[in-house]
Amino acid sequence: MINQFKQKMNTLLITSCISGLTICSMTVNAQENPPAQSPTSIEVKADTVLPSQTIINDEATLVGPVQITEKIYHKTIFSLLGKPKYPDEFDHLDYANPKAPKGGTIKLAELGTFDNFNRYASRGAPEKNSGSLYDTLFTNLADDITSFYPLIATSVTYSDNYRWAEVTINPNARFQDGKPITAHDVEFTFHKFMTEGVPQYRLYNQNITVKALDDYHVRIDLPESNREKLLSFVGNMPVIPQHFWQNHNFSEPITTPPVGSGPYFISDYKMGHYVVYQRNPNYWASNLPINKGMNNFDEKRIEYYMDSSISLEAFKAGEYDLRGEGQPKNWFTQYQGQYFDSNDIIKQEKPIQTAVDTKWLAFNLKKDLFNDVKVREAITLAFDFQWLNHAFYYDSYKRPYSFFENTIYAAIGTPSDQELKWLNQYKDIIPEQSFDDAFYISKSDGFGFNRDNLLKATDLLKQAGWIIKGGKLVNAKTNQPFEFELVTYLGDDVKYATPFQKNLARLGITMKIVSLDYAQFTRRLRERDYDMMPRNYGAKNYPSSDLMILWGSEYLNSSWNASGLHNQAIDGIIAEITRNLENESELIPLGRALDRILTHEYPMIPMWYNSNTYYAYWNKFGQPAVHPAYAIGIDSWWYDADKANSLTKNRKH
């Protein structure tokens, strides 16, 4: 819940690996913005190791003769795209009240369960917020998600060949047990992730080196030039304490709270039921500009519920304070009663106007049953979105037709000449439809019949070698019946599953619905032991290198590529995307070309996304006058005792 609300509207939540894979952004142009002809700018040889004490201001001054081949930057704040919102010397965030009072408790909720506190373990069900125990070298902000601001680090120095960086650690930085955070902890963290972390992290960061130069300076070297990878790696890297984790296997669950570095530590818990995060009164970074007026609650108590409907009733009864609602029908029918009428509970509804998380049903393409794209298209046509949206969701959902939904990178119309430049290179291995109109699924009549789409699906299945025998769809050559499983999470809304199942039955297809608890669902996902599974596809504000994790051939063992789709065309265009991140005139057609290939391969059935963000909270909190653009901003809220005491339910007792 903490992480969900922190970047609710736009972020991709990475749960099993770190590094620069997950930055969301607005559409802006990228540049380092050095002075055009600065008399202090200096260039050095590419293999020069810079002693940190020789770096001043925004550029570098080096001692001794050098060959002029490389420009050096020294940054306290840096951005992947455009300019940072805040200057180097800012006092506090626009959406924070630096005079906000500290105290009180906020009660939150999660669905599911947990059996350990290691967010990066390769097995088990970790407490969903345990990743927040660790601060990172730099951090993004809820009103500037493309820039990085100092946290554990104070500055970074790097060159315009983007193969190395030196990071300076704040000498005041401390872990929660009071021990200093040093460059040796940074080096240890990287080593731990590379030796005991998830495979995709090791693959993505292979041949990178991280070396402590002394207690407060660490150097990162990349095997080849990559601006985004270097800056994202530096910006996103958490730091774990060597003195704690050197005695624990990082890939294994841990059943006692570890030592962290963030503003909250775990003070109480009952495994699988609840966890309490307590504010660290000695948090060393509380007076940094990014933290003034933030982290105001003394405690964050998180209750776990196995069922969403039970969780909703608990919220309405005051068992916890803040709830985001993903089911429109609930929003329009269940958020009512005396506490809503008295404004004890406040409802908020905000339109989503930027990149958005979307929900899909992923085919497992390792299953022979789904090898033929015609089969995947036919099953997609059986999913009657219009009827489901009207019958169950108050016409509140929209259907995604792109993996870059709500951005300029979503394919539109027919391919431009610039897109064709990339598509033509792979015309022999990509769907023919990639050269036609952008991906679209014909709308049904919305009355539950879906006749035209089912007729088209029948024809596609026949073309793929499937025929009806005895009312069942079978393979014309092998007589194999068309049967598969839809694996769902026990706590999810699965109202869509039965109507989908009935539509498939009209085609002669048998779909079995299997609902699993969180631990079983996670295991099946990791082992790719499923035919079809619902998946959230995180918001993509712009195409970036994290697409390699999601679609690249080298990352098929990653659970992020839920369908397992991959080919040379996808790999090739993603490689071009990583080379053109600073060139929007190329990035737009590359993103759209990739979108055409991905969507016309039908790797996942597009379900829906919310056109609005819905959330409600008990009216016992103070909030700053300014709200961040990319989050609800609860980290800047504070407990208001007067409001809490005036609540109707509190006046009754």
Side-chain angles (χ1 to χ4, degrees), residues 178-192:
K179 295 184 182 298
I181 302 175
T182 71
H184 305 288
D185 293 297
V186 180
E187 179 181 342
F188 171 82
T189 298
F190 180 70
H191 175 76
K192 204 70 168 172

Side-chain angles (χ1 to χ4, degrees), residues 145-197:
I145 56 177
T146 64
S147 301
F148 293 95
Y149 293 79
L151 188 48
I152 291 175
T154 60
S155 63
V156 60
T157 301
Y158 58 94
S159 78
D160 65 352
N161 75 3
Y162 305 113
R163 290 190 59 182
W164 62 266
E166 276 191 20
V167 177
T168 301
I169 306 300
N170 193 321
N172 297 317
R174 294 291 184 273
F175 290 109
Q176 291 167 344
D177 59 1
K179 295 184 182 298
I181 302 175
T182 71
H184 305 288
D185 293 297
V186 180
E187 179 181 342
F188 171 82
T189 298
F190 180 70
H191 175 76
K192 204 70 168 172
F193 272 97
M194 289 297 286
T195 56
E196 298 173 7

